[in-house]
Amino acid sequence: MSSRGNIRSSASTLAAILTVSTALTPFAVEAQQVGPAGPSAPAQQAPAPQAAQPATPAGGQAGGQSAPVAPIAPSQMSVVRAIAIEGNQRLEAETVRSYMNLSVGDSYDQDILDQALKRLFSTEFFADVQIRDNNGIITVVVRENPIINRIVFEGNKSLKEDKLRPEVKLAPRQIFTRSKVRADVARILELARRSGRFAASVNPKAIQLPQNRIDLVFEINEGPKSKVRQINVIGNEQFSDGELRGELATRQSRWWRFLTSNDTYDPDRTAYDREKLRQFYLTEGYADFRVVSVGSELAPNRRDFIQTYLVEEGPRYKFGKIDVESRIRDLKPEMLRALIGIQEGSWYNAKQIESTIESLTETAGLFGYAFAEIRPQINRNKEDLTMDVTFVVNEAPRVYVERIDVNGNVRTLDKVIRREFRLAEGDPFNSFKVRRSRDRIQSLGFFQENLEIEQKPGSTPDRVILETNVEEKSTGELQIGAGFSSLERFIADVSVTERNLMGKGQEARVSFTLSSYRNELELSFTEPYFMDKNLAAGIDVYRRDLNSFRYNSVGDNDRQTTYEEVTTGFRLRSGFPITEFWSLGLRYGLSQAEVSLDKGVYFTNGQCNLFTAGTYLCDLVGPEGKSNRTTSAVGYTLVFDNRDNAIRPSRGQRFTFSQDVAGVGGGVNYVNSRVDYDRYFNLFNSGWILRSGVEGGWVFGWGGEDVRINDRFFLGGPRIRGFAIRGIGPRSVRTCTKAGVTAKTCTAEGLSYDDPLGGELYYLGSVELEVPLGAGAREMGLRTSTYVDVGSLWKVGRNPSFGTTTGVEEQLLGDSAKPRVSVGIGVMWNSPFGPFRIDLAKALVKEEGDDTEVFQFNIGTQF
């Protein structure tokens, strides 16, 4: 936003500017407050634009009131001997003459000269015009309107310049005219009113520059927002004022609504509320309901508004006879009747009629009738207060896809979008396949939300054009996660992901995790259409350094590292669809893991100390204190997915079943099976998204091998919120009761150790409800949710035992299938810095040995 000093920098000083007759030309235009159906704020008189007048040449007249110097009598006609043009700078003299519609040799009188004067003014090229008549010699003295050098806005705070620029139709290098300035002022005031600022005013000023140029300045005084202080309803008998206010988009102004904008006064929103109120009554059976009037009056503070709705409810109706008629041969009435969910005798509901029309239209689309017209014929019986409804399916031709148009993709290749279409050009139209195509394109995550595929008439009545207008969004993501727990202390995750590499739909990812518990580096690449076939292929290469640690009971819970695990490997992936919703993924992975213990800490007399290390770790590393194992595994994943959006689903379900078998070479043998199911509901299509999900897993060894500790499942946060990482499941707690020096005894009486052991079986369930917020919060990208998590982890294979003479008391805690339960709330914010999430969760049910955690947050950014 430019300052006034910058605007005037082209002139030497303000005093020097004011010496020019047209140096600073103000045009004051005040806002007028208008209510939609009643008196509003008193309108302030908008003074006519004032412009400084230049010095008038001798014998001339100023402004638009000019007249010929030597007027002639109306009945006296003269002949034009010559037409001279003076004062023109940019326009050619011949151009000015052409606007007069008067030529040499023409006869003229006073009326003809007046008409020529008006025509010159109507061009809006001139600030002033004078016509002088000297016995047939016509002299036209003009002062051209200036050229706009630049347009500047001052005083605007909430009305951002990127919103104001499109409203202003004047532009640099255009000719300045007062009518266009007035129109631009009106548009700016309308923009202010739409944001609830009815006290706004706009004062345009013109700053004269050399060569007949000006800087046009719009001085904006936004004023305070006009709120709706109170909403009254008169005439309602069946519903209270509070119930009806809850149906309106406008809210009464209250201090806690500082994050929303729906408590500001907006005539457009008031008109929308009238319709919402009508729709509400129509869904409750009041078919004769009408809003008589809506009055908006100024509150005593002369700034806010009080709205009053006057309504007539009328009687309540029920559905009478319900029937359907079809004029399309392929659509039998018997089949269509089964799609009608309206019951005779139930209360009349206009929304049920709309839903039935949508269902019938979609069914017609499945048979290829894209433009089938379904009209409900309603017969109102005022005697018995019933509504008979007959749905008439009018005749329409079967439609074929003529063309598929994709617009708006600048970076994404055309084929990336077209390959998601379930129809091809020339195919019979099918509404289900159109909807499925929309969902698949939306699930790419490359484009705007609420993407639609428009159906437009083709070149003939039996042809349809499918047009998709996309708006690309950021597909690169820099994710930075941070958290704090009693187990890991500080943890940081950094990942860089590009989901649309070079516009080809390929995904590349680099992730790095750093904490006191583990360091991980992973490189991943996925080609969703390998060799332009419907076959996905990918590769993952990773390195994981795990430093497991625990706390002992001496030294204020000192933290000690237990074992170190270094895993290096790769995984090859492929996948292909079986049907539209079922797909199969195959994979092969090869990795080498080295697990080691610090001999100086966990070995005594050359043997693994069963007290400090524990039975499972000693078995894992063996007598050498180090174990190297190669794992070669093949696996598959069977997936059913019909969600409407893979990134932010609101309806649909996803089911996966996966198995990995280790032992195809290598030295590790196990079978790992997992099942996962999630379902999403958009409750009443109101934006309340309910997600329910369950999952479970079982891993077991084969070929005489037990499952090693690092191949078991671990459960905790963030999968089950309210618990720390690895905070649930079997734990080995060993306490020293008698100090000794052998490999099976402890060295300090009272010392204890606590190690998570993992489990071979687990289950996890979750129910989460996303709560919609107001329009203001949605504009800020805020979302909230509340959730309940339930889960458990158990079975370690065998229980450790030290006997009674070792001086060690060992307990196996948490090895139970009993559920752990937590509840919490989460807040998600698409901040300017990237996605941000905070979770606060409380563990309600836990077992002895479980480790809980209340707070966790995550932040990232997109590019």
Side-chain angles (χ1 to χ4, degrees):
M1 197 184 312
S2 302
S3 66
R4 176 60 59 82
N6 292 334
I7 296 169
R8 297 178 178 174
S9 61
S10 58
S12 58
T13 64
L14 177 61
I17 294 174
L18 293 177
T19 59
V20 182
S21 60
T22 57
L24 193 61
T25 312
F27 306 87
V29 180
E30 299 293 334
Q32 298 198 13
Q33 303 196 14
V34 181
S40 59
Q44 299 178 356
Q45 182 64 34
Q50 301 294 324
Q53 300 294 338
T56 304
Q61 296 184 4
Q65 306 300 322
S66 302
V69 175
I72 58 180
S75 60
Q76 180 182 353
M77 299 292 291
S78 302
V79 177
V80 178
R81 297 163 54 197
I83 300 177
I85 308 298
E86 298 180 1
N88 55 310
Q89 297 178 344
R90 297 183 304 273
L91 296 175
E92 296 292 337
E94 193 58 39
T95 302
V96 178
R97 294 188 188 97
S98 67
Y99 292 133
M100 296 177 62
N101 198 19
L102 192 64
S103 304
V104 176
D106 291 348
S107 299
Y108 71 95
D109 58 9
Q110 181 68 46
D111 291 337
I112 293 176
L113 291 181
D114 287 344
Q115 291 173 10
L117 185 69
K118 291 177 182 178
R119 280 193 290 269
L120 289 173
F121 270 113
S122 66
T123 63
E124 295 191 333
F125 290 154
F126 309 106
D128 189 24
V129 179
Q130 298 178 26
I131 296 181
R132 303 173 188 170
D133 179 22
N134 185 13
N135 295 325
I137 299 176
I138 307 300
T139 303
V140 182
V141 182
V142 299
R143 180 162 58 87
E144 295 179 353
N145 275 326
I147 293 292
I148 298 175
N149 179 56
R150 58 175 176 163
I151 298 176
V152 182
F153 302 96
E154 287 188 351
N156 54 308
K157 296 179 181 178
S158 63
L159 300 175
K160 301 303 181 183
E161 191 163 331
D162 59 346
K163 301 291 185 183
L164 291 170
R165 289 285 178 189
E167 297 295 327
V168 175
K169 302 307 178 185
L170 282 171
R173 293 183 296 278
Q174 287 187 0
I175 296 176
F176 168 88
T177 65
R178 296 170 186 269
S179 61
K180 292 182 179 179
V181 171
R182 292 192 189 97
D184 285 342
V185 168
R187 279 187 284 266
I188 295 173
L189 290 175
E190 180 60 28
L191 183 65
R193 290 190 185 100
R194 290 201 297 267
S195 64
R197 300 182 182 275
F198 282 78
S201 63
V202 180
N203 185 25
K205 292 185 176 179
I207 299 178
Q208 191 73 31
L209 301 175
Q211 299 178 349
N212 199 19
R213 295 177 301 120
I214 62 167
D215 282 342
L216 182 57
V217 183
F218 290 98
E219 291 185 347
I220 302 173
N221 180 12
E222 294 179 345
K225 278 192 173 183
S226 298
K227 304 282 188 178
V228 176
R229 173 170 293 190
Q230 187 174 337
I231 300 176
N232 302 317
V233 184
I234 300 174
N236 52 313
E237 298 177 358
Q238 303 300 324
F239 301 97
S240 66
D241 288 12
E243 288 178 293
L244 297 181
R245 280 194 289 261
E247 297 297 324
L248 304 179
T250 303
R251 293 287 183 260
Q252 296 182 132
S253 177
R254 297 294 184 265
W255 66 267
W256 61 81
R257 294 197 172 107
F258 63 93
L259 287 178
T260 67
S261 60
N262 55 4
D263 59 349
T264 59
Y265 175 70
D266 186 348
D268 293 336
R269 191 187 296 129
T270 300
Y272 173 67
D273 283 338
R274 291 182 63 138
E275 184 61 23
K276 284 204 67 177
L277 207 56
R278 176 177 171 273
Q279 291 295 332
F280 169 72
Y281 270 93
L282 288 177
T283 59
E284 297 294 332
Y286 296 90
D288 295 333
F289 171 84
R290 70 189 187 101
V291 178
V292 179
S293 65
V294 182
S296 299
E297 299 180 355
L298 277 175
N301 64 1
R302 309 297 296 171
R303 186 184 70 187
D304 298 334
F305 284 84
I306 298 175
Q307 289 189 329
T308 302
Y309 288 79
L310 179 60
V311 302
E312 288 182 0
E313 293 180 331
R316 193 177 189 188
Y317 289 81
K318 289 185 176 181
F319 280 114
K321 183 181 178 181
I322 307 297
D323 200 3
V324 61
E325 296 179 3
S326 176
R327 297 170 184 172
I328 298 178
R329 183 178 57 185
D330 295 337
L331 300 178
K332 304 299 182 182
E334 298 78 18
M335 177 190 67
L336 298 178
R337 287 192 187 100
L339 302 174
I340 300 177
I342 302 174
Q343 300 295 325
E344 294 184 14
S346 61
W347 291 112
Y348 175 78
N349 188 331
K351 186 173 290 185
Q352 285 185 292
I353 294 179
E354 293 177 3
S355 300
T356 302
I357 293 174
E358 291 177 3
S359 178
L360 295 176
T361 303
E362 184 173 321
T363 302
L366 291 175
F367 285 83
Y369 298 96
F371 304 113
E373 184 183 29
I374 289 89
R375 287 191 175 182
Q377 294 181 352
I378 301 176
N379 182 26
R380 182 176 309 182
N381 304 311
K382 293 192 175 183
E383 294 77 14
D384 56 1
L385 297 180
T386 59
M387 307 279 280
D388 298 334
V389 183
T390 301
F391 296 95
V392 179
V393 182
N394 291 320
E395 187 176 358
R398 188 183 295 273
V399 177
Y400 296 85
V401 178
E402 177 178 339
R403 193 172 71 248
I404 297 176
D405 293 338
V406 179
N407 305 317
N409 53 315
V410 177
R411 181 167 174 263
T412 306
L413 298 181
D414 210 49
K415 71 173 184 178
V416 173
I417 303 173
R418 290 184 177 274
R419 67 193 182 194
E420 302 300 328
F421 273 89
R422 302 296 92 183
L423 300 97
E425 295 174 349
D427 286 353
F429 177 84
N430 186 301
S431 60
F432 170 78
K433 291 183 178 181
V434 172
R435 187 174 64 252
R436 180 60 182 162
S437 301
R438 178 202 63 193
D439 292 345
R440 288 179 64 92
I441 297 173
Q442 189 84 72
S443 296
L444 292 174
F446 305 162
F447 312 110
Q448 79 279 15
E449 295 183 12
N450 302 321
L451 181 144
E452 293 294 338
I453 299 177
E454 298 182 26
Q455 303 165 23
K456 296 187 175 182
S459 57
T460 60
D462 63 343
R463 295 289 184 268
V464 63
I465 297 173
L466 301 180
E467 182 175 283
T468 305
N469 296 302
V470 300
E471 297 176 11
E472 292 181 322
K473 65 180 184 180
S474 299
T475 55
E477 185 175 282
L478 170 63
Q479 187 77 22
I480 302 176
F484 184 85
S485 71
S486 58
L487 178 64
E488 289 197 75
R489 300 301 186 193
F490 182 77
I491 178 174
D493 291 282
V494 180
S495 65
V496 180
T497 305
E498 174 53 65
R499 293 179 284 108
N500 188 15
L501 189 65
M502 295 183 292
K504 298 180 179 180
Q506 301 166 337
E507 179 174 327
R509 184 173 184 268
V510 179
S511 64
F512 179 71
T513 301
L514 174 65
S515 74
S516 55
Y517 173 68
R518 70 188 188 278
N519 298 328
E520 296 182 7
L521 176 63
E522 183 171 353
L523 308 177
S524 176
F525 177 79
T526 303
E527 169 55 74
Y529 283 78
F530 184 64
M531 299 181 67
D532 287 331
K533 304 294 183 182
N534 202 358
L535 174 68
I539 183 172
D540 306 314
V541 180
Y542 54 88
R543 165 70 179 259
R544 302 188 180 107
D545 296 348
L546 173 66
N547 297 316
S548 182
F549 54 83
R550 43 84 185 293
Y551 296 95
N552 60 42
S553 61
V554 179
D556 194 22
N557 284 334
D558 288 338
R559 186 170 64 183
Q560 290 184 336
T561 299
T562 53
Y563 66 90
E564 298 179 0
E565 179 183 4
V566 179
T567 304
T568 305
F570 71 90
R571 181 169 51 246
L572 300 176
R573 298 176 280 106
S574 67
F576 56 89
I578 301 174
T579 66
E580 180 61 32
F581 298 112
W582 286 96
S583 62
L584 180 66
L586 304 175
R587 57 187 169 274
Y588 170 75
L590 180 65
S591 65
Q592 181 172 1
E594 178 182 292
V595 182
S596 61
L597 289 174
D598 187 344
K599 287 189 174 182
V601 177
Y602 298 102
F603 276 65
T604 303
N605 297 330
Q607 298 183 35
C608 183
N609 191 313
L610 296 180
F611 170 63
T612 57
T615 305
Y616 289 94
L617 284 182
C618 287
D619 289 348
L620 181 65
V621 300
E624 300 297 327
K626 181 182 293 187
S627 171
N628 285 289
R629 295 270 185 114
T630 299
T631 302
S632 176
V634 294
Y636 69 91
T637 299
L638 184 64
V639 179
F640 174 84
D641 190 350
N642 68 349
R643 296 173 299 170
D644 60 339
N645 191 318
I647 299 175
R648 283 194 59 190
S650 61
R651 58 177 173 81
Q653 53 192 328
R654 186 176 193 271
F655 168 81
T656 64
F657 177 76
S658 63
Q659 279 191 315
D660 289 279
V661 179
V664 187
V668 179
N669 299 332
Y670 66 78
V671 177
N672 185 318
S673 304
R674 294 183 60 182
V675 62
D676 188 0
Y677 177 75
D678 289 294
R679 186 155 190 176
Y680 299 85
F681 305 87
N682 189 346
L683 301 180
F684 312 110
N685 291 319
S686 60
W688 294 68
I689 309 300
L690 177 66
R691 182 192 69 84
S692 60
V694 293
E695 65 174 284
W698 179 30
V699 59
F700 60 90
W702 64 279
E705 285 197 15
D706 292 326
V707 180
R708 300 182 305 162
I709 186 174
N710 56 338
D711 291 326
R712 296 188 189 126
F713 298 115
F714 287 87
L715 189 60
R719 296 176 64 196
I720 178 166
R721 292 153 289 195
F723 292 88
I725 297 176
R726 299 194 172 193
I728 290 178
R731 311 180 78 83
S732 172
V733 180
R734 303 177 299 282
T735 305
C736 181
T737 59
K738 180 180 178 180
V741 293
T742 68
K744 293 186 178 181
T745 60
C746 49
T747 57
E749 189 171 337
L751 182 66
S752 67
Y753 291 106
D754 178 352
D755 289 320
L757 301 177
E760 298 178 7
L761 289 163
Y762 86 95
Y763 66 84
L764 176 62
S766 178
V767 176
E768 184 167 4
L769 179 64
E770 182 178 321
V771 181
L773 300 177
R778 288 197 303 269
E779 291 173 2
M780 296 174 60
L782 278 173
R783 293 179 291 127
T784 61
S785 66
T786 180
Y787 47 81
V788 178
D789 293 336
V790 180
S792 186
L793 174 74
W794 74 100
K795 195 174 186 305
V796 292
R798 58 187 175 85
N799 295 332
S801 175
F802 290 98
T804 58
T805 59
T806 60
V808 175
E809 178 185 353
E810 181 171 33
Q811 293 178 293
L812 183 63
L813 303 179
D815 190 11
S816 170
K818 293 181 179 180
R820 280 73 157 175
V821 182
S822 67
V823 298
I825 58 174
V827 178
M828 292 76 72
W829 177 33
N830 288 331
S831 71
F833 312 101
F836 184 87
R837 178 173 181 127
I838 295 177
D839 281 296
L840 294 174
K842 172 69 175 177
L844 299 182
V845 179
K846 61 180 181 178
E847 294 294 313
E848 184 180 1
D850 290 345
D851 191 6
T852 61
E853 181 181 71
V854 175
F855 174 78
Q856 191 174 49
F857 72 93
N858 180 286
I859 188 171
T861 188
Q862 293 183 334
F863 60 90

